[in-house]
Amino acid sequence: MIKSYDSNAYDVIVVGAGHAGCEAALASARMGQKTLLLTISLDMVAFMPCNPSVGGPAKGTVVREVDALGGQMGKNIDATYIQMRMLNTGKGPAVQALRAQADKWQYHEQMKRVIEETPNLTLRQATVDELLVEDGVCQGVVTNTGARYHAKSVVLTTGTSARGRIYIGELNYSSGPNNTIPAIKLSENLEKLGFKLRRFKTGTPPRVNSNTIDYSKTEEEPGDQVPRHFSYESRDEDYLKDQVSCWMTYTNRYTHKIINDNLTRSPMFTGEIKGVGPRYCPSIETKVVRFADKPRHQIFLEPEGKNTEEVYVGDFSTSMPEEVQLEMLHTVAGLEDAEMMRPGYAIEYDVIDPWQLKHTLETKNIKNLFTAGQMNGTSGYEEAAGQGLIAGINAALRASGQSGFTLGRDEAYIGVLIDDLVTKGTEEPYRLLTSRAEYRLILRHDNADLRLTDYGYQLGLISEERYSKFLAKKEQIIQAEHAVKSITVHPNEEVQNYLASIGEEKLKAGVKADVFLRRPKVKIDDIEKLTHEHISNERYVKEQIEINVKYEGYIKKEQQQINRLHRQEAKKIPVDIDYQAIEGLATEAREKFEKIRPETLAQAERISGVNPADLAILSVYVQNGRYSKIKN
C-alpha cells in the first residue's frame, strides 16, 4: 500500500466526473473547500455518451435552477450549443421548455477547462475501488493503484460505470459507457458496507455518417432566431445565429417487421439483460412490441457537433446485433444508404436504492458519504447535474462544520426530484417530468433565478456583481408591476380597433392595464403602444409580468397549497421514533416508515402505501409527544 501523505488530504473528494461529479466538485471548490475530483478517464469529463443535448420538459428548468444556484451546466451549454429551441410554445408557461443541441466534444472540452482552471480543485485520473470507513464515518477513498486519499466528506457519482456491462445482440462484455473501464470493486465494497444495490439498464442508438443521409426525405427542425439562454449570465448579443438544424423521420412497417423477426436475438427479450430499463425512454424494439398498433415511430437525427459527421439517431435506442441494426436503419426514410459509424448498445449498471439517502443526499448508514446522479437511480444529464450540485454543496458544508442545505418541492424541480427519490424510491430509471411537480406553475423555467439566486448567493456560489444585477432585475419587476396597475387603458378608437383585430370584446369603460392584460391575446407591448406609456425595456421583465397577471388566480391556488405543505413540513418526526411502539399502524405503513424514516409529517404523507388513517395515527402520536417515552 502507498503511504498516506498530507498532500493526499482534502476537504472533499468527488468520485466520477460526469455531469453530477463536475457540478459537485465545482460547487465544493467554489465554496472554499480543497477538493479532489477523481475520474476513470480524463477523456470522459462531462461526456455525453447518450444524446448530445441539454434541456427539454422539466429538465430544462433544472438546468436553469442549477445556474441560479451558481452551477455550471447552463453556462457550459450556452458556450457550446449548435442549436437552441424553445419547446411547447403553444402551451402554457408551466410546460414550456428550452432545449439545446450540444457540440458534445466542445461541451466536454469546455467543462474540463473550467475544472482545470478552478482554484481549490484538483482533477486526477484514477479508479476508486474502496471507501475508507471508520466507525460508520467515510474518511476517504482507495484507488486501484493502492493510493489513499483522505477527506472530511466524499461524494460518489459513478454514473453507469458501476459494474457496467454492454450488450449488442449476442455479444456482452464488462464495460463502462462508450467502452470505458468499468468500476467493479467499488460496488462490491458498497455491498460490504451494507448498501442495497440494484441493476438498471439504459441504452443508446446507432450513430450514422451525415454525408450518407438523404435529408430531402426528412423534416427539418431549425433552431430559434429569438435569443434564448440557459444561463442568466449569458448575453443576447452572443446568441448564435448560424445554427445547425436537426431532422425528423419515421420508422415504418418494414422497420417493425425486421425488429419482430429478430426479437430472439435481442438481449432485452432473451432474458440476458436483467436490469430494469427506463419507461419513458424505451428501446425501439420495446416500443414496437409495446405499441404494436402504431404504424410508425418518430426518429430524430441530431448532429453531434460542428466538426464531426456523426449523427445521433434519436429515439432509436437498441441492443440488436450490429447487422440487424444496419438493416433496421436502411428501412427508414432518408437512411436507406446510411453508413453506421457506431452501433447502438444497452448497458447494465449498479444503482443504490435511493431510500437509503437523506434529503441532503448523504447516506443514512455512512456519515459524510454523499451520492448523486445515475447511481441514485435517475436518468438524464440534467437530473444528474441537479443532484451533483446539491451533494457538492452539502459535502462542502459538512467539511466546514455547517448544517445541510435542502430544497423543498415548492422551491425547485431539483427539490421534487430529490424528495421523490428519498421518499418514494424508484423501481426503474427515474425521469423528471412536469407532471411530477404539484406546483409547476410556480416552478417555471423563466423564474428560476427569482426562486433560487438568494440561496446561491448565501452559499457563496453567486458573485457580488451577479447578485447586484439580480437585485436590479427584481426592482425592475416591482416597478413594472406598479406601472401595469397604475396605467389606464381607455376605450378610444385605437383600442377598440385593436380588440376587434384580435377577436376580443370591446371595452365598455376604461380599465387598468393589469385587467386589460388578463385577456389571452393581449401583450404588454400592445399596451405600451395603445397607451403611449412605458412599462419596461427588458424582455424578461415583461415576461414575468405577463405570466403573473394572466395566471394570477392559478398561482394563488398553488400558493395556498404550498402554505398547507409548509404547515405539515413544520411538524417534525423525531429521528429516534420507534414505529413498533405505535399501536394501530398498518403493517405496510410501519414497514415503510421504518425503511424511509420520514423527517416530517408532510414527507410521511408522500410515502406510497401509506393511507390517511396511518398518517392520522402517526400525527397524533407525534403531536402528543409520546415518542419521548421511547427508550433508545
Side-chain angles (χ1 to χ4, degrees), residues 48-96:
M48 295 178 164
C50 199
N51 59 317
S53 68
V54 168
K59 294 167 176 283
T61 306
V62 170
V63 181
R64 284 269 179 95
E65 291 175 350
V66 166
D67 184 75
L69 287 166
Q72 192 64 30
M73 178 174 266
K75 296 181 183 66
N76 213 65
I77 186 61
D78 281 358
T80 59
Y81 69 93
I82 57 177
Q83 184 195 96
M84 191 76 72
R85 191 163 178 242
M86 186 68 78
L87 307 179
N88 299 329
T89 53
K91 299 181 181 179
V95 294
Q96 290 182 14

Side-chain angles (χ1 to χ4, degrees), residues 530-548:
L530 294 169
T531 63
H532 307 289
E533 297 277 2
H534 175 258
I535 297 174
S536 176
N537 292 326
E538 302 295 344
R539 176 166 50 90
Y540 55 76
V541 171
K542 292 180 178 179
E543 180 182 45
Q544 288 302 308
I545 302 303
E546 287 186 359
I547 292 171
N548 288 338

